[in-house]
Structures are given as structure tokens and as C-alpha cells.
Amino acid sequence: DRRSLERSTYSHNTVEIDQKNSSDVWASFRVASRADIIDLKKNKSKKSFCVSCSHDGYNSIFKKNIHQRQWSFSEKKLIITDSITLNKSEAIARFILHPDIKIKQDGFKNMYSFTLENNIVKLHVEKGGSIISDMLYAPEFGILLKTKCISIKLVDGTSKVILTW
């Protein structure tokens, strides 16, 4: 049961739609109908870099429901935007933190901070509803460490997270 959970979409830093896996995970070491990467794009300017990519993993369940994640990097900012094409589905973007990262809410809903390599990182969920929950992190087979997860419910098929440092 633990192996199945660790292999599920729920246990990864991605979007889970309607509590379903994006690939058909069956048996302990088997996967069918794998999600395929589509529409990889990169854009670089003098002050920023943007990467976006989609996958079709939910097509076998929800016809034409594509998940796209975009990362926009600049000198002291990272913006992560998730979107799905069928926005009537319930979708949750998860960001599972490394056990060494201690996160705290900054007094306002959807505002958090944590320290990373002696830098204070601020995380603002600009679009979507967020919660922090307990989770287990599996760095290797048979080892489980307690950690935290930021779960963000997509609103109208979109979520947007801004990290600054």
C-alpha cells in the first residue's frame, strides 16, 4: 500500500485532478498509459527565463484535460503557474518540501516564509486556496521522513505561486 501511495500523483510535486493518477499505475512496479510531455517551450531574455510544459496524462480519464506548468525565473523571483483545460474538475497543485525546510504562515492567508541556505524565501499564493499539511517524504526505498506539503486548490483551472528572496 505504501509503495502504491508513493508512486501516485498525490505523492509528487504536480497537479492531481479529481484525486486520479496522471499515469495508470498498477502493481508495485508497473505503469501503463504513461503521461507524455507535450508543448515544451523555453524563452530567455536578459532579465528572465521562462519554461513551460504540458502533459496529456489525464486524457485517458478526462478527454482533453491537459495540465500545464510554467516556471518564470528572474533575479530574485520565481513564478509557478499551473493550469488545466477542463476547469470544472477539482485540481490540487502540491509542493512537497524537503524535511530540512521549515515553513510558517506569515499572518495572512496564502502567505508563507521559510529559510533556505541562509536566505529568507517568501511564498505568496496569488491565485488558489492553500493549506499546509503533514506528509511523509521518501528519499529512498524504505525510508520515510516527516515533512510538510503546500496544497493549492486551483481556481477556475489555474493557480499561481510567487516566490521571492
Side-chain angles (χ1 to χ4, degrees), residues 121-142:
V121 178
K122 299 284 185 179
L123 186 147
H124 173 219
V125 179
E126 186 172 278
K127 184 169 185 182
S130 65
I131 61 166
I132 297 177
S133 58
D134 293 326
M135 191 144 210
L136 292 173
Y137 169 74
E140 58 187 87
F141 188 75

Side-chain angles (χ1 to χ4, degrees), residues 27-92:
S28 294
F29 294 92
R30 302 281 186 201
V31 177
S33 301
R34 292 176 190 261
D36 288 320
I37 296 171
I38 53 176
D39 205 23
L40 172 63
K41 294 179 185 172
K42 300 176 270 182
N43 185 1
K44 186 177 182 181
S45 70
K46 288 183 179 182
K47 295 188 177 191
S48 66
F49 182 71
C50 183
V51 177
S52 66
C53 192
S54 303
H55 74 81
D56 65 357
Y58 289 105
N59 275 355
S60 63
I61 304 167
F62 315 102
K63 299 296 181 214
K64 301 293 180 192
N65 203 351
I66 303 295
H67 167 228
Q68 180 187 58
R69 178 166 279 176
Q70 177 177 299
W71 301 265
S72 298
F73 302 88
S74 58
E75 187 177 342
K76 294 193 176 262
K77 184 188 290 188
L78 168 61
I79 301 171
I80 304 169
T81 306
D82 282 299
S83 60
I84 59 172
T85 52
L86 297 178
N87 62 18
K88 292 184 179 167
S89 298
E90 181 176 301
I92 306 289

Side-chain angles (χ1 to χ4, degrees), residues 87-125:
N87 62 18
K88 292 184 179 167
S89 298
E90 181 176 301
I92 306 289
R94 288 193 182 81
F95 297 93
I96 303 163
L97 304 176
H98 188 276
D100 291 344
I101 296 175
K102 306 302 178 207
I103 191 164
K104 66 177 185 171
Q105 194 163 9
D106 276 352
F108 296 100
K109 186 176 175 154
N110 293 333
M111 299 286 288
Y112 306 95
S113 66
F114 54 90
T115 303
L116 181 63
E117 295 180 3
N118 297 321
N119 293 304
I120 296 174
V121 178
K122 299 284 185 179
L123 186 147
H124 173 219
V125 179

